[in-house]
Amino acid sequence: MKLDNCISERINKKIFRDGNKCIKLFDEVFSKSDVLNEALNHARVEETGLNVPELFEVTRIDGKWAIVSQFIEGERLSDLIAANPKKYDEYMEQFVDIQLDIQSRNCPLLSRLKDKMNRKIDLTDLDETTKYDLHTRLDGMKKHNKLCHGDYTPSNIIITPDNKPYILDWAHATQGNASADAARTYLTFCLEGNIAGADKYLDIFCKKSATAKKYVQSWMPIVAASQSVKKKDKEKDILLSWVNVVDYE
């Protein structure tokens, strides 16, 4: 495999294209178990019939772990939104439709979202009383087994030239409550400073899914706390500010 065409660079990983292959190369900070778990998530999601790149192999390149999958020709939905602001509403409708398709699937061998959030809340710097309140609130939430992406953003959607959407990056996939995943997407928009986009997204999601907005909002303190663990200081401060935004009652 050739690594002379880097198409994206993220924290501790790089993405390369080699013909019809996409190579995600991880830095040494990623353990074998983390990389294998991401590949296993991807493989399990493939079995649901969703449009995801085909997983080819997990390998090592110069001592670093790599996941090799199908390269999908097309444009990221985030780039299409930026290039066509007049079509913003249309793209957001499509964005939510794709998410609802994801959440209509079941993937019973994935980890449970509640278990992951409970672990992450324990890793925060919050005081024990707040942690207890968050755990209690999480335990009282409805138990679902819907497929949740875990990092659902327009940048993780590729639209092919024939308008077929493919969903990328299943590292954080779990099974659980769809509203928790929607709250995660809402907060991602907020972290990018796109408050209007966050509100637009939530309005469309709640309308199309027939979900009360207040119910999705009730997940935000839990999701914000669980997502704060590995964030940069500025993002961490913003997320933790959400922990007390919504009343616990």
Side-chain angles (χ1 to χ4, degrees), residues 37 41 45 102-103 105-117 119 144-151 170-177 180-181:
N37 185 67
N41 284 353
V45 171
I102 293 170
Q103 294 171 348
R105 316 295 175 113
N106 296 120
C107 201
L109 295 179
L110 287 176
S111 299
R112 296 196 174 274
L113 179 62
K114 277 193 172 185
D115 294 340
K116 184 176 182 178
M117 285 185 167
R119 289 194 300 270
H144 292 169
N145 61 350
K146 296 181 179 181
L147 175 57
C148 297
H149 184 278
D151 188 20
W170 292 94
H172 306 290
T174 56
Q175 55 173 321
N177 194 302
D181 212 34

Side-chain angles (χ1 to χ4, degrees), residues 179-193:
S179 291
D181 212 34
R184 169 79 163 82
T185 297
Y186 177 90
L187 290 171
T188 300
F189 278 113
C190 291
L191 286 175
E192 295 171 349

Side-chain angles (χ1 to χ4, degrees), residues 56-111:
F56 291 150
E57 64 175 309
V58 179
T59 187
R60 297 192 80 179
I61 302 173
D62 295 330
K64 298 179 181 180
W65 286 101
I67 295 176
V68 184
S69 59
Q70 176 188 10
F71 180 83
I72 304 297
E73 292 278 3
E75 294 187 70
R76 292 184 185 272
L77 185 57
S78 54
D79 293 334
L80 290 171
I81 291 172
N84 303 278
K86 291 183 179 179
K87 297 179 68 175
Y88 188 85
D89 288 0
E90 177 184 334
Y91 284 132
M92 288 300 290
E93 294 266 352
Q94 184 180 19
F95 179 64
V96 172
D97 285 340
I98 297 167
Q99 185 175 32
L100 294 178
D101 186 24
I102 293 170
Q103 294 171 348
S104 72
R105 316 295 175 113
N106 296 120
C107 201
L109 295 179
L110 287 176
S111 299

